[in-house]
Amino acid sequence: MRYRPFGASGAAISTLTLSLGLDSLARGQGAASDLIYCALEAGINSYRLETADPVLAEVLGQALVNVERKLLNVSLQLGAGDGRRGSARDFSAEGMTAAIDRALQISGLGWIDMALLEEPGEHELPQSSLNALKALRATGRVRYLGISGETEVMDTYVSTGAFDVLATPFHVNSDWRVRSRMRAAREQDMAILAYEYFPDSLNTEKKAVTLKKPKMGLFGFGGWRKANPLASAGTFAFLHRTPNWTAEAICLAHAMSDPSVSSVLIKASDAERLNILAAVPEKDMPPGLAAQIEMARVAA
């Protein structure tokens, strides 16, 4: 595992962050604990709770109890209720404070490194909520405040200077708006977490080809025919054709290659998948792949 500075904090964070949601409990608490132990063995020191669900917080706390707390980075996603279907978003001062205090009490973690607000709308954060977050940070229950999302309102939140962390989708085909937002975040000394590094639009070779395939002109003229051997040129088809690399591994390596990204959020249902993903930081991307990614992206 490789590590990077966490923004301007001086702390070190693993290039991979294991994201844990209610689906992590699908095979039972024991399986969820084993997954966290596997992550620790792989050198992952960063974990995100997608919800303040008490069972999830308890499992994480018990798995990390014997690790020096200062060596860990634990974030809690806020604004998605308890993560269960039908639960309401709650960015109220009372709701966020209660969620953090409950997670801390049950997990025994001592503090939450990052409180990440999930896609807050333009008018969803009243001054009382911001004051509550500042109070949580002042009392040491939370160390850093962050926002997570991809809507244009994220630009406004980044520009305020009130947040320490930006979590954003980032992949080989991210557009200029995402890249500009990341650049603005770095100028604010914000740490950046990347997620959705392998979007559905690229998870099969067919999608990777058609995503960039030239459109047919009026009445079918002006486009390439399917029989054209160069029909996939300038597309992301190479993601699925690179020997000894999967498309997901290439996309993950690409996300980690950006020096502004502190860590990439990953999901894993079992130890086998986790170990596959954890091996990617130790591999160097094949020569020429970075150029191919850039050419395919620019060809949009």
Side-chain angles (χ1 to χ4, degrees), residues 97 128-142 145:
T97 300
S128 59
S129 295
L130 293 175
N131 291 339
L133 291 172
K134 292 177 181 178
L136 288 166
R137 184 163 56 181
T139 56
R141 286 175 285 176
V142 170
L145 305 178

Side-chain angles (χ1 to χ4, degrees), residues 15-240:
T15 51
L16 297 183
T17 293
L18 180 60
S19 186
L20 301 163
L22 292 179
D23 54 342
S24 303
L25 300 172
R27 296 189 300 130
Q29 296 182 42
S33 295
D34 290 343
L35 184 64
I36 298 170
Y37 292 139
C38 180
L40 288 170
E41 292 175 356
I44 295 175
N45 74 342
S46 180
Y47 301 85
R48 178 184 70 162
L49 290 171
E50 299 173 8
T51 164
D53 177 78
V55 177
L56 196 62
E58 181 181 16
V59 169
L60 181 64
Q62 290 179 349
L64 301 180
V65 68
N66 293 320
V67 182
E68 172 60 47
R69 181 64 182 89
K70 293 181 180 180
L71 299 178
L72 298 169
N73 190 300
V74 177
S75 59
L76 173 62
Q77 192 104 347
L78 298 173
D82 62 3
R84 302 180 188 278
R85 180 178 298 180
S87 60
R89 289 165 58 83
D90 187 359
F91 287 117
S92 68
E94 298 80 6
M96 291 191 293
T97 300
I100 290 173
D101 285 344
R102 182 171 62 250
L104 287 176
Q105 180 181 4
I106 295 173
S107 67
L109 287 169
W111 67 84
I112 297 296
D113 293 278
M114 290 179 282
L116 284 173
L117 279 60
E118 181 184 7
E119 203 84 52
E122 185 175 359
H123 304 293
E124 280 191 293
L125 284 180
Q127 189 60 46
S128 59
S129 295
L130 293 175
N131 291 339
L133 291 172
K134 292 177 181 178
L136 288 166
R137 184 163 56 181
T139 56
R141 286 175 285 176
V142 170
R143 292 195 167 182
Y144 306 106
L145 305 178
I147 49 171
S148 175
E150 59 181 325
T151 58
E152 292 184 3
V153 73
M154 293 299 109
D155 296 323
T156 300
Y157 286 124
V158 168
S159 68
T160 64
F163 297 93
D164 311 292
V165 183
L166 170 67
T168 178
F170 179 61
H171 50 78
V172 295
N173 199 36
S174 290
D175 63 26
W176 65 269
R177 287 178 291 265
V178 171
R179 296 170 186 273
S180 176
R181 186 174 302 133
M182 292 171 64
R183 184 166 58 252
R186 288 301 300 156
E187 292 172 353
Q188 293 275 9
D189 288 329
M190 296 175 70
I192 297 176
L193 304 180
Y195 62 91
E196 292 183 7
Y197 62 89
F198 189 41
D200 290 341
S201 58
L202 293 171
N203 63 9
T204 68
E205 184 172 341
K206 182 178 180 180
K207 292 179 183 179
V209 171
T210 57
L211 181 68
K212 295 293 184 178
K213 189 174 181 180
K215 295 181 179 180
M216 298 294 289
L218 188 62
F219 304 119
F221 295 105
W224 287 337
R225 297 182 179 180
K226 294 182 180 179
N228 189 333
L230 298 179
S232 62
T235 73
F236 285 105
F238 66 89
L239 294 174
H240 298 270

Side-chain angles (χ1 to χ4, degrees), residues 1-12:
M1 186 56 57
R2 299 181 182 180
Y3 301 85
R4 287 184 176 173
F6 181 60
S9 69

